Amino acid sequence: MSEIQPDQNSSNQPKRVLSAGSKYTFLFASWVFLSAFSFYLGMNLMAKESDTVSLKNVSSSAGQTVEAVASETPSMEIPKPDETSNDADSTSPVSNTENVNPTIVSDEKPADFVADERVSFRASAWSTDWTAMKKTVHLYNEIHPFIYTLRGGLSNNGELISSWSQTSRKERVAELRALNPKVKIIPTIFRWENPKEKIQENIGMGGRTDIRDKHIQIIVNEVLTYGYDGIDIDYEGMSCDKKEKFEEFFALLAKEIHKHGKMISVAVHPKTPSDKKKEMHCKGLAKPIQLDFRENWRGPTTHDYAFLAKHADRVKIMAYELHPRKYHNPGPGPQAPNVWLKDIIAYAKKRVPTAKLYMAIPTYGYDWALNCKASAKAVYHSDVIRIRSGAHKKHQPTDINQIILAENKVANWRNLSKFSDIHKGRAYEDPTLWYSSGGCDRVAFYMNRKAFEEKMSLLRKYDLGGFSFWQLVTDNDPEINDYLSLLVQGKLPAVAKVSAQEMEELMNPKKKEEEVEPVKVSKIKSKTGTKQL
């Protein structure tokens, strides 16, 4: 290999030497370039990371709201058609607020709060179905997105879980308002007490007023952060010992909500008047519970209509599940017939101001087996179309006793005939379809426009503040929407209001005084919830 020789010409050139000033200028320019490039890379990296973990300051007192993994979000088990599960966010986001300042209760008197009562009869609906909400929001004065529940099972830490992500909460509120600028968006916080989920520290049980106050502040922060018009509290199935703590919690929450000019709604169990007045002595309560209603299981005992109405802007009675599908007793029947609604109205009108009183109506029914062992199943519009496409008999109104006699099926329809006395003297406005499937006779109770109109006429007759649907889904009867369009535009014919005499007879069917009879807590019945997460 030959040796590489240096270039003779270049070796003879003198080398240039940079001055000290030039060196410093070059170094400074390099430092500025590298700093700018590092800053650019850092900002891009932060932007990418924020897409994975969303972190948002709610307020100086609320700390942070973070999203957690999908596995922590409970699934919803409610009577609804399969196709309503169309929400891409329905299983992923979690709302969780930490480092909340629990000291929120003050002696400051809130500014006077007056809810918008310009609409005489308001339409509202609970919903988990985003597609249905978008499609029909123009038909409602109020929408309750059914999106919140409590974090924790047997104990609570004040935090909430949401089935809508932070981004969805902002975008969907804006979208609903763009579709109906007048709609009030009042999301629901739901919890049904069961062996695995309780309502404990969040209402101050066990002396945990710190967690209760944290829970209240988190709720207020959610309302303010996402621009809701208020909040709807749906705490169901509570044991009787929680009555007083729930009332304390609700009164404090209402005060804080009203300070910001927002509304508070409460969902309550249905009650009907009792001929006898009883007292229930429940351990942990300062006063016995006055049972002037028939429904003496644990849920209704904790919902005092008169107390809650003093603090709430809306009291929404969950008037459905008269014939629950999970129980053999009382067997097949309608979920919210007018004959039952009248009894609920009779009890509520004495305790809740008219403008605040709503009746919640079901959009579904149940399909019952009459002479075989099979579970009842929910019935929606598509189910009705399917059943009517085959051999069937339709009845509306539905007089069960007459149908049994006409069909001569008293012995054969054993799941219904043993409860026939319940239906004596009653003709329900609810329609029914009687048919056979798989060698079994069946009856499907459902909701259509005619039945809905009769229920609405009853509520308007007794001058209630409005109604609420459980629940608004895509598979509801579309003809009901035609009726709602006329309702919200004020184009329906006027309904004659109930006379003073009729109201007196409804609210005071018996004049004689009843003895007060004590009731032991052990007699209180348990019941499965109509709405479950």
Side-chain angles (χ1 to χ4, degrees):
M1 180 177 292
S2 61
E3 188 175 353
I4 299 177
Q5 299 295 327
D7 187 342
Q8 296 296 325
N9 293 328
S10 63
S11 62
N12 294 328
Q13 295 294 328
K15 295 182 179 180
R16 295 182 180 179
V17 180
L18 293 175
S19 65
S22 296
K23 289 181 180 179
Y24 288 128
T25 301
F26 175 79
L27 291 174
F28 179 77
S30 300
W31 177 80
V32 170
F33 173 80
L34 291 174
S35 297
F37 185 71
S38 299
F39 178 78
Y40 172 81
L41 291 177
M43 291 299 293
N44 276 271
L45 181 61
M46 289 174 63
K48 290 180 180 179
E49 290 178 347
S50 66
D51 290 339
T52 305
V53 180
S54 177
L55 190 65
K56 175 178 176 59
N57 290 328
V58 177
S59 71
S60 59
S61 64
Q64 298 172 329
T65 300
V66 301
E67 296 176 6
V69 296
S71 60
E72 295 184 8
T73 304
S75 61
M76 293 185 177
E77 298 177 1
I78 50 180
K80 64 179 181 181
D82 294 337
E83 60 267 33
T84 61
S85 299
N86 50 26
D87 184 358
D89 297 311
S90 63
T91 59
S92 57
V94 174
S95 174
N96 162 16
T97 306
E98 299 175 354
N99 303 322
V100 176
N101 179 7
T103 310
I104 64 167
V105 181
S106 66
D107 293 329
E108 178 187 353
K109 183 178 180 180
D112 291 339
F113 175 81
V114 179
D116 183 1
E117 303 292 351
R118 289 174 293 181
V119 181
S120 61
F121 188 80
R122 295 175 292 272
S124 66
W126 289 288
S127 184
T128 61
D129 188 336
W130 173 237
T131 299
M133 279 187 261
K134 287 191 297 181
K135 184 177 180 180
T136 62
V137 65
H138 62 287
L139 301 177
Y140 294 94
N141 304 106
E142 302 162 7
I143 287 287
H144 296 298
F146 202 73
I147 61 174
Y148 288 104
T149 188
L150 311 183
R151 179 183 287 278
L154 298 180
S155 61
N156 318 132
N157 62 4
E159 298 170 3
L160 298 175
I161 297 173
S162 173
S163 60
W164 285 2
S165 69
Q166 294 177 355
T167 301
S168 292
R169 274 171 262 171
K170 288 186 175 181
E171 292 178 348
R172 292 181 174 183
V173 167
E175 188 168 354
L176 289 176
R177 288 223 168 88
L179 293 169
N180 182 1
K182 296 182 180 180
V183 72
K184 293 190 182 299
I185 304 171
I186 308 173
T188 296
I189 305 174
F190 168 75
R191 168 57 61 88
W192 169 269
E193 282 211 339
N194 59 68
K196 295 183 179 180
E197 293 179 320
K198 301 295 181 183
I199 303 167
Q200 296 288 126
E201 296 83 359
N202 281 356
I203 59 173
M205 295 297 290
R208 296 306 303 266
T209 56
D210 57 330
I211 294 180
R212 177 201 66 194
D213 294 347
K214 174 184 175 182
H215 186 50
I216 291 173
Q217 188 63 65
I218 288 174
I219 294 172
V220 173
N221 289 331
E222 285 290 301
V223 172
L224 298 179
T225 299
Y226 299 105
Y228 303 142
D229 294 291
I231 200 71
D232 176 52
I233 299 299
D234 184 8
Y235 294 176
E236 300 182 35
M238 292 181 286
S239 53
C240 62
D241 60 313
K242 297 182 175 67
K243 178 181 182 294
E244 292 172 352
K245 290 299 182 183
F246 176 69
E247 291 172 352
E248 290 176 7
F249 156 76
F250 191 83
L252 289 171
L253 175 61
K255 180 180 179 182
E256 296 299 317
I257 290 291
H258 287 159
K259 280 182 181 179
H260 299 280
K262 303 293 185 176
M263 302 174 66
I264 185 166
S265 172
V266 61
V268 297
H269 292 286
K271 300 183 185 182
T272 55
S274 174
D275 294 337
K276 293 184 178 181
K277 294 182 179 180
K278 303 177 182 179
E279 285 186 349
M280 182 207 305
H281 295 270
C282 184
K283 185 177 180 180
L285 297 186
K287 298 179 180 179
I289 298 174
Q290 303 299 318
L291 294 184
D292 51 0
F293 49 91
R294 297 190 189 102
E295 297 72 19
N296 65 341
W297 60 280
R298 57 189 170 92
T301 61
T302 55
H303 286 164
D304 187 316
Y305 287 8
F307 179 91
L308 296 173
K310 291 178 182 179
H311 303 276
D313 304 296
R314 305 284 188 265
V315 178
K316 301 196 171 182
I317 302 176
M318 298 177 287
Y320 37 79
E321 294 291 309
L322 179 60
H323 293 260
R325 64 173 173 173
K326 293 187 177 181
Y327 296 92
H328 297 296
N329 188 346
Q335 297 312 302
N338 278 5
V339 64
W340 186 49
L341 295 180
K342 286 180 67 175
D343 283 345
I344 297 173
I345 293 171
Y347 183 86
K349 286 280 283 187
K350 284 185 175 182
R351 297 158 178 83
V352 182
T354 292
K356 296 182 177 185
L357 181 57
Y358 284 61
M359 201 66 61
I361 304 297
T363 60
Y364 62 92
Y366 289 135
D367 185 339
W368 309 83
L370 298 176
N371 50 8
C372 63
K373 290 185 178 180
S375 299
K377 50 191 176 183
V379 176
Y380 284 87
H381 183 61
S382 61
D383 301 299
V384 172
I385 293 175
R386 172 181 51 81
I387 296 170
R388 295 187 68 172
S389 66
H392 69 279
K393 291 183 179 180
K394 178 186 175 182
H395 291 273
Q396 189 176 17
T398 298
D399 188 325
I400 292 179
N401 283 274
Q402 290 297 321
I403 293 171
I404 290 176
L405 292 175
E407 296 291 334
N408 194 23
K409 298 278 190 176
V410 176
N412 189 29
W413 289 350
R414 56 184 181 274
N415 296 340
L416 177 60
S417 57
K418 60 184 177 182
F419 301 113
S420 59
D421 288 347
I422 296 173
H423 307 288
K424 279 187 177 179
R426 295 183 174 184
Y428 305 118
E429 70 280 1
D430 303 75
T432 50
L433 298 174
W434 305 74
Y435 70 107
S436 296
S437 176
C440 182
D441 291 340
R442 305 188 67 92
V443 58
F445 284 81
Y446 64 101
M447 177 74 77
N448 64 359
R449 173 173 175 166
K450 184 176 181 181
F452 180 68
E453 283 192 35
E454 291 195 33
K455 296 179 195 300
M456 292 302 100
S457 295
L458 177 72
L459 305 189
R460 294 170 66 205
K461 175 182 178 181
Y462 284 97
D463 205 27
L464 269 62
F467 85 96
S468 194
F469 258 153
W470 175 254
Q471 67 161 311
L472 169 62
V473 295
T474 308
D475 200 11
N476 292 339
D477 187 342
E479 290 189 12
I480 291 177
N481 293 337
D482 298 334
Y483 176 86
L484 287 178
S485 179
L486 298 175
L487 175 66
V488 297
Q489 295 181 73
K491 295 182 178 179
L492 290 175
V495 174
K497 303 298 182 181
V498 64
S499 67
Q501 182 179 350
E502 288 178 299
M503 184 65 74
E504 176 66 21
E505 292 175 354
L506 177 73
M507 299 175 67
N508 301 290
K510 293 188 177 183
K511 298 294 186 180
K512 65 178 182 179
E513 294 183 1
E514 304 289 353
E515 295 182 359
V516 177
E517 178 183 340
V519 175
K520 294 182 180 180
V521 178
S522 59
K523 290 185 179 180
I524 301 303
K525 299 177 182 178
S526 159
K527 181 179 178 184
T528 300
T530 60
K531 292 186 283 190
Q532 300 181 8
L533 280 177

Coordinates of all heavy atoms in Angstrom, one line a residue, residues 392-454:
H392 N -101.6 -12.8 17.0 CA -101.7 -12.2 18.3 C -103.1 -11.6 18.4 O -103.8 -11.4 17.4 CB -100.6 -11.1 18.4 CG -100.9 -9.9 17.6 ND1 -100.5 -9.9 16.2 CD2 -101.5 -8.7 17.8 CE1 -100.9 -8.7 15.7 NE2 -101.5 -8.0 16.6
K393 N -103.4 -11.2 19.6 CA -104.6 -10.4 19.9 C -104.2 -9.2 20.7 O -103.4 -9.3 21.7 CB -105.6 -11.2 20.7 CG -106.2 -12.4 20.0 CD -107.3 -13.1 20.8 CE -107.9 -14.2 20.0 NZ -108.9 -14.9 20.9
K394 N -104.6 -8.0 20.2 CA -104.3 -6.8 20.9 C -105.5 -6.3 21.7 O -106.7 -6.4 21.2 CB -103.9 -5.7 19.9 CG -103.6 -4.4 20.6 CD -103.3 -3.3 19.6 CE -103.1 -1.9 20.3 NZ -102.9 -0.8 19.3
H395 N -105.3 -5.8 22.9 CA -106.3 -5.2 23.8 C -105.9 -3.9 24.3 O -104.8 -3.7 24.8 CB -106.6 -6.1 25.0 CG -107.3 -7.4 24.6 ND1 -108.7 -7.5 24.5 CD2 -106.8 -8.6 24.3 CE1 -109.0 -8.8 24.1 NE2 -107.9 -9.5 24.1
Q396 N -106.7 -2.9 24.1 CA -106.5 -1.5 24.7 C -107.8 -0.8 24.7 O -108.4 -0.6 23.6 CB -105.5 -0.7 23.9 CG -105.1 0.6 24.6 CD -104.0 1.4 23.8 OE1 -103.7 1.1 22.7 NE2 -103.4 2.3 24.5
P397 N -108.4 -0.5 25.8 CA -107.8 -0.8 27.2 C -107.7 -2.3 27.5 O -108.4 -3.1 26.8 CB -108.8 -0.1 28.1 CG -110.1 0.0 27.4 CD -109.7 0.1 25.9
T398 N -107.0 -2.6 28.5 CA -106.8 -4.0 28.9 C -107.5 -4.3 30.2 O -107.2 -3.8 31.3 CB -105.3 -4.3 29.1 OG1 -104.6 -4.1 27.9 CG2 -105.1 -5.7 29.6
D399 N -108.6 -5.1 30.1 CA -109.3 -5.6 31.2 C -109.0 -7.1 31.4 O -109.5 -8.0 30.7 CB -110.8 -5.5 31.0 CG -111.6 -5.8 32.3 OD1 -111.2 -6.7 33.0 OD2 -112.7 -5.1 32.5
I400 N -108.0 -7.4 32.3 CA -107.5 -8.7 32.4 C -108.5 -9.8 32.8 O -108.6 -10.9 32.2 CB -106.3 -8.7 33.5 CG1 -105.1 -7.9 32.9 CG2 -105.9 -10.2 33.8 CD1 -104.0 -7.9 33.8
N401 N -109.4 -9.4 33.7 CA -110.5 -10.4 34.1 C -111.4 -10.8 33.0 O -111.7 -11.9 32.8 CB -111.3 -9.8 35.3 CG -110.5 -9.9 36.6 OD1 -110.6 -10.9 37.3 ND2 -109.8 -8.9 36.9
Q402 N -111.8 -9.8 32.2 CA -112.6 -10.1 31.0 C -111.9 -10.9 30.0 O -112.5 -11.8 29.4 CB -113.1 -8.8 30.4 CG -114.1 -8.0 31.2 CD -115.4 -8.8 31.5 OE1 -115.9 -9.5 30.5 NE2 -115.9 -8.7 32.7
I403 N -110.6 -10.7 29.8 CA -109.8 -11.4 28.8 C -109.7 -12.9 29.3 O -109.8 -13.8 28.5 CB -108.4 -10.8 28.7 CG1 -108.6 -9.4 28.0 CG2 -107.5 -11.7 27.8 CD1 -107.3 -8.6 28.0
I404 N -109.5 -13.1 30.6 CA -109.4 -14.5 31.1 C -110.7 -15.2 30.9 O -110.7 -16.4 30.5 CB -109.0 -14.5 32.6 CG1 -107.5 -14.0 32.8 CG2 -109.1 -15.8 33.2 CD1 -107.1 -13.8 34.2
L405 N -111.8 -14.6 31.1 CA -113.1 -15.2 31.0 C -113.4 -15.5 29.5 O -113.9 -16.6 29.1 CB -114.2 -14.3 31.6 CG -114.2 -14.2 33.1 CD1 -115.3 -13.2 33.5 CD2 -114.4 -15.5 33.8
A406 N -113.1 -14.5 28.6 CA -113.3 -14.7 27.2 C -112.5 -15.8 26.6 O -112.9 -16.6 25.7 CB -113.1 -13.4 26.5
E407 N -111.3 -16.0 27.1 CA -110.4 -17.0 26.5 C -110.5 -18.3 27.2 O -110.0 -19.3 26.8 CB -108.9 -16.5 26.7 CG -108.6 -15.2 25.9 CD -108.6 -15.5 24.4 OE1 -108.3 -16.6 24.0 OE2 -108.8 -14.5 23.6
N408 N -111.3 -18.3 28.3 CA -111.5 -19.6 29.1 C -110.1 -20.2 29.5 O -109.9 -21.4 29.3 CB -112.3 -20.6 28.3 CG -112.8 -21.7 29.2 OD1 -112.9 -21.6 30.4 ND2 -113.1 -22.9 28.6
K409 N -109.2 -19.3 30.0 CA -107.8 -19.8 30.3 C -107.5 -19.7 31.8 O -106.4 -19.7 32.2 CB -106.8 -18.9 29.5 CG -107.0 -18.9 28.0 CD -106.2 -20.1 27.5 CE -106.2 -20.0 25.9 NZ -105.4 -21.2 25.4
V410 N -108.5 -19.7 32.6 CA -108.3 -19.5 34.0 C -107.3 -20.5 34.6 O -106.4 -20.2 35.3 CB -109.6 -19.5 34.8 CG1 -109.4 -19.4 36.3 CG2 -110.5 -18.4 34.3
A411 N -107.5 -21.8 34.3 CA -106.7 -22.8 34.8 C -105.3 -22.9 34.1 O -104.3 -23.1 34.8 CB -107.4 -24.2 34.7
N412 N -105.3 -22.6 32.8 CA -104.1 -22.8 32.1 C -103.1 -21.6 32.3 O -101.9 -21.9 32.4 CB -104.4 -22.9 30.6 CG -103.2 -23.2 29.7 OD1 -102.3 -23.9 30.2 ND2 -103.2 -22.8 28.5
W413 N -103.6 -20.4 32.4 CA -102.7 -19.3 32.6 C -102.3 -19.1 34.1 O -102.7 -18.1 34.8 CB -103.3 -18.0 32.1 CG -103.4 -18.0 30.6 CD1 -102.8 -18.8 29.7 CD2 -104.1 -17.0 29.8 NE1 -103.1 -18.5 28.4 CE2 -103.9 -17.4 28.4 CE3 -104.9 -15.9 30.1 CZ2 -104.4 -16.6 27.4 CZ3 -105.5 -15.2 29.0 CH2 -105.2 -15.6 27.7
R414 N -101.6 -20.1 34.7 CA -101.4 -20.1 36.1 C -100.6 -19.0 36.6 O -100.7 -18.6 37.8 CB -100.8 -21.5 36.5 CG -99.4 -21.7 35.8 CD -98.9 -23.1 36.2 NE -97.6 -23.4 35.5 CZ -97.5 -23.9 34.3 NH1 -98.7 -24.2 33.6 NH2 -96.4 -24.2 33.7
N415 N -99.7 -18.4 35.8 CA -98.9 -17.3 36.3 C -99.6 -16.0 36.4 O -99.2 -15.0 37.0 CB -97.7 -17.1 35.3 CG -96.7 -18.2 35.3 OD1 -96.7 -19.0 36.2 ND2 -95.9 -18.3 34.2
L416 N -100.9 -16.0 35.8 CA -101.7 -14.8 35.9 C -103.0 -15.0 36.7 O -103.4 -14.1 37.5 CB -102.1 -14.3 34.5 CG -103.0 -13.1 34.3 CD1 -102.4 -11.9 35.0 CD2 -103.3 -12.9 32.9
S417 N -103.6 -16.2 36.5 CA -104.9 -16.4 37.2 C -104.8 -16.3 38.7 O -105.8 -15.9 39.3 CB -105.5 -17.7 36.7 OG -104.6 -18.8 37.1
K418 N -103.7 -16.7 39.3 CA -103.7 -16.7 40.8 C -103.6 -15.2 41.3 O -103.7 -15.0 42.5 CB -102.5 -17.5 41.3 CG -101.1 -17.0 40.8 CD -100.0 -18.0 41.3 CE -98.7 -17.6 40.8 NZ -97.6 -18.5 41.2
F419 N -103.3 -14.3 40.4 CA -103.3 -12.9 40.8 C -104.5 -12.1 40.2 O -104.4 -10.9 40.2 CB -102.0 -12.2 40.4 CG -100.7 -12.9 40.9 CD1 -99.9 -13.5 40.1 CD2 -100.5 -12.8 42.3 CE1 -98.7 -14.1 40.6 CE2 -99.3 -13.4 42.8 CZ -98.4 -14.1 41.9
S420 N -105.5 -12.8 39.7 CA -106.6 -12.1 39.0 C -107.3 -11.1 39.9 O -107.9 -10.2 39.4 CB -107.5 -13.2 38.4 OG -108.1 -14.0 39.4
D421 N -107.4 -11.4 41.2 CA -108.1 -10.5 42.1 C -107.5 -9.1 42.1 O -108.2 -8.1 42.4 CB -108.1 -11.1 43.5 CG -109.0 -12.3 43.7 OD1 -109.8 -12.5 42.8 OD2 -108.9 -13.0 44.7
I422 N -106.2 -9.0 41.9 CA -105.6 -7.7 41.9 C -106.1 -6.8 40.8 O -106.2 -5.6 41.0 CB -104.0 -7.9 41.7 CG1 -103.4 -8.7 42.8 CG2 -103.3 -6.5 41.5 CD1 -102.0 -9.0 42.6
H423 N -106.6 -7.4 39.7 CA -107.0 -6.7 38.5 C -108.6 -6.5 38.5 O -109.0 -5.9 37.5 CB -106.6 -7.4 37.3 CG -105.1 -7.7 37.3 ND1 -104.1 -6.7 37.1 CD2 -104.4 -8.8 37.4 CE1 -102.9 -7.2 37.1 NE2 -103.1 -8.5 37.3
K424 N -109.3 -6.9 39.5 CA -110.7 -6.8 39.5 C -111.2 -5.3 39.5 O -110.6 -4.5 40.2 CB -111.4 -7.5 40.7 CG -111.5 -9.0 40.5 CD -112.3 -9.6 41.6 CE -112.5 -11.1 41.4 NZ -113.2 -11.8 42.5
G425 N -112.1 -5.0 38.6 CA -112.6 -3.7 38.5 C -111.7 -2.7 37.9 O -111.9 -1.5 38.0
R426 N -110.6 -3.2 37.2 CA -109.7 -2.3 36.6 C -109.6 -2.5 35.1 O -109.4 -3.7 34.7 CB -108.3 -2.4 37.3 CG -108.3 -2.0 38.7 CD -106.9 -2.1 39.3 NE -106.7 -1.6 40.6 CZ -105.6 -1.5 41.3 NH1 -104.5 -1.9 40.8 NH2 -105.6 -1.0 42.5
A427 N -109.6 -1.5 34.4 CA -109.4 -1.6 32.9 C -108.2 -0.6 32.6 O -108.4 0.6 32.8 CB -110.6 -1.2 32.1
Y428 N -107.1 -1.1 32.3 CA -105.8 -0.3 32.1 C -105.8 0.3 30.8 O -106.1 -0.3 29.8 CB -104.6 -1.2 32.3 CG -104.6 -1.9 33.7 CD1 -104.6 -3.3 33.7 CD2 -104.6 -1.3 34.9 CE1 -104.6 -4.0 34.9 CE2 -104.6 -1.9 36.1 CZ -104.6 -3.3 36.1 OH -104.5 -4.0 37.3
E429 N -105.4 1.5 30.7 CA -105.2 2.2 29.5 C -104.0 1.6 28.7 O -103.9 1.9 27.5 CB -105.0 3.7 29.7 CG -103.7 4.1 30.3 CD -103.6 4.0 31.8 OE1 -104.6 3.5 32.4 OE2 -102.6 4.3 32.4
D430 N -103.1 0.9 29.4 CA -102.0 0.3 28.7 C -102.4 -0.8 27.7 O -103.2 -1.6 28.1 CB -101.0 -0.3 29.8 CG -100.6 0.8 30.8 OD1 -101.4 1.1 31.6 OD2 -99.4 1.2 30.7
P431 N -101.8 -0.8 26.6 CA -102.1 -1.9 25.6 C -101.4 -3.2 25.9 O -100.4 -3.2 26.6 CB -101.6 -1.3 24.3 CG -100.4 -0.5 24.7 CD -100.8 0.1 26.0
T432 N -102.0 -4.3 25.4 CA -101.3 -5.6 25.6 C -101.4 -6.4 24.3 O -102.4 -6.2 23.5 CB -102.0 -6.4 26.7 OG1 -103.5 -6.4 26.5 CG2 -101.7 -5.9 28.1
L433 N -100.5 -7.3 24.2 CA -100.4 -8.2 23.0 C -100.4 -9.6 23.6 O -99.5 -10.0 24.4 CB -99.2 -8.0 22.2 CG -99.1 -6.6 21.5 CD1 -97.8 -6.5 20.7 CD2 -100.3 -6.4 20.5
W434 N -101.4 -10.5 23.3 CA -101.5 -11.8 23.8 C -101.2 -12.8 22.6 O -101.8 -12.7 21.6 CB -102.9 -12.1 24.3 CG -103.4 -11.1 25.3 CD1 -103.7 -9.8 25.1 CD2 -103.5 -11.3 26.7 NE1 -104.0 -9.2 26.3 CE2 -103.9 -10.1 27.3 CE3 -103.3 -12.4 27.6 CZ2 -104.1 -9.9 28.7 CZ3 -103.5 -12.3 28.9 CH2 -103.9 -11.0 29.5
Y435 N -100.2 -13.6 22.8 CA -99.7 -14.5 21.7 C -99.0 -15.7 22.3 O -98.9 -15.9 23.5 CB -98.7 -13.7 20.9 CG -97.4 -13.4 21.5 CD1 -96.2 -14.1 21.1 CD2 -97.2 -12.4 22.5 CE1 -95.0 -13.8 21.7 CE2 -96.0 -12.1 23.1 CZ -94.9 -12.8 22.7 OH -93.7 -12.6 23.3
S436 N -98.5 -16.6 21.4 CA -97.8 -17.8 21.8 C -96.5 -17.9 21.2 O -96.3 -17.4 20.1 CB -98.6 -19.1 21.4 OG -99.9 -19.1 22.1
S437 N -95.5 -18.4 22.0 CA -94.2 -18.5 21.5 C -93.5 -19.7 22.2 O -93.5 -19.8 23.4 CB -93.4 -17.2 21.7 OG -92.0 -17.4 21.3
G438 N -92.9 -20.6 21.4 CA -92.2 -21.7 21.9 C -93.1 -22.6 22.8 O -92.6 -23.2 23.8
G439 N -94.4 -22.7 22.4 CA -95.3 -23.6 23.1 C -95.8 -22.9 24.4 O -96.4 -23.6 25.3
C440 N -95.6 -21.7 24.6 CA -95.9 -21.0 25.8 C -96.8 -19.8 25.5 O -96.5 -19.0 24.6 CB -94.7 -20.5 26.6 SG -95.0 -19.7 28.2
D441 N -97.9 -19.6 26.2 CA -98.8 -18.4 26.0 C -98.1 -17.2 26.7 O -97.6 -17.4 27.8 CB -100.2 -18.6 26.6 CG -101.0 -19.6 25.8 OD1 -100.6 -19.9 24.6 OD2 -101.9 -20.2 26.4
R442 N -98.2 -16.1 26.1 CA -97.5 -14.9 26.7 C -98.4 -13.7 26.6 O -99.3 -13.6 25.7 CB -96.2 -14.6 26.0 CG -95.2 -15.8 26.0 CD -93.8 -15.4 25.4 NE -93.2 -14.5 26.3 CZ -92.3 -14.9 27.3 NH1 -92.1 -16.2 27.5 NH2 -91.8 -14.0 28.1
V443 N -98.1 -12.6 27.4 CA -98.7 -11.3 27.3 C -97.6 -10.3 27.4 O -96.8 -10.3 28.3 CB -99.8 -11.1 28.3 CG1 -99.3 -11.3 29.8 CG2 -100.5 -9.8 28.1
A444 N -97.7 -9.3 26.5 CA -96.7 -8.2 26.5 C -97.5 -6.9 26.8 O -98.3 -6.5 26.1 CB -96.0 -8.1 25.2
F445 N -97.2 -6.3 28.0 CA -97.6 -4.9 28.3 C -96.6 -3.9 27.7 O -95.4 -4.1 27.8 CB -97.8 -4.7 29.8 CG -98.9 -5.4 30.4 CD1 -98.9 -6.7 30.7 CD2 -100.1 -4.6 30.7 CE1 -100.0 -7.3 31.3 CE2 -101.2 -5.3 31.3 CZ -101.1 -6.6 31.6
Y446 N -97.1 -2.9 27.1 CA -96.1 -1.9 26.5 C -96.7 -0.5 26.5 O -97.8 -0.3 26.9 CB -95.7 -2.3 25.1 CG -96.8 -2.4 24.1 CD1 -97.0 -1.3 23.2 CD2 -97.7 -3.4 24.0 CE1 -98.0 -1.3 22.2 CE2 -98.7 -3.4 23.0 CZ -98.8 -2.4 22.2 OH -99.8 -2.4 21.2
M447 N -95.9 0.5 26.1 CA -96.3 1.9 26.0 C -96.5 2.3 24.5 O -95.6 2.1 23.7 CB -95.3 2.7 26.7 CG -95.6 4.2 26.6 SD -96.9 4.8 27.7 CE -96.0 4.8 29.3
N448 N -97.6 2.9 24.2 CA -97.8 3.5 22.9 C -98.3 4.9 23.1 O -98.6 5.4 24.2 CB -98.7 2.7 22.0 CG -100.1 2.6 22.6 OD1 -100.5 3.1 23.6 ND2 -101.0 1.8 21.8
R449 N -98.6 5.6 22.0 CA -99.0 7.0 22.1 C -100.3 7.1 22.8 O -100.5 8.1 23.7 CB -99.1 7.6 20.7 CG -99.7 9.0 20.7 CD -99.6 9.7 19.4 NE -100.3 11.0 19.5 CZ -100.2 12.0 18.6 NH1 -99.5 11.8 17.5 NH2 -100.9 13.1 18.7
K450 N -101.3 6.3 22.5 CA -102.6 6.4 23.2 C -102.5 6.3 24.7 O -103.1 7.1 25.4 CB -103.5 5.3 22.6 CG -105.0 5.4 23.1 CD -105.9 4.4 22.5 CE -107.3 4.5 23.0 NZ -108.2 3.5 22.5
A451 N -101.8 5.3 25.2 CA -101.6 5.2 26.6 C -100.9 6.3 27.2 O -101.2 6.9 28.3 CB -100.9 3.9 26.9
F452 N -99.8 6.8 26.5 CA -99.1 8.0 27.0 C -99.9 9.2 27.1 O -99.8 10.0 28.0 CB -97.9 8.2 26.0 CG -97.0 9.3 26.4 CD1 -96.3 9.3 27.6 CD2 -96.9 10.5 25.7 CE1 -95.5 10.4 28.0 CE2 -96.1 11.5 26.0 CZ -95.4 11.5 27.2
E453 N -100.8 9.4 26.0 CA -101.6 10.6 26.1 C -102.6 10.6 27.3 O -102.8 11.6 27.9 CB -102.5 10.6 24.8 CG -101.7 11.1 23.6 CD -102.6 11.4 22.4 OE1 -103.8 11.9 22.6 OE2 -102.2 11.2 21.2
E454 N -103.1 9.4 27.6 CA -104.0 9.3 28.7 C -103.3 9.6 30.0 O -103.9 10.2 30.9 CB -104.7 7.9 28.7 CG -105.7 7.7 27.6 CD -106.6 6.5 27.8 OE1 -106.9 6.2 29.0 OE2 -107.0 5.9 26.8

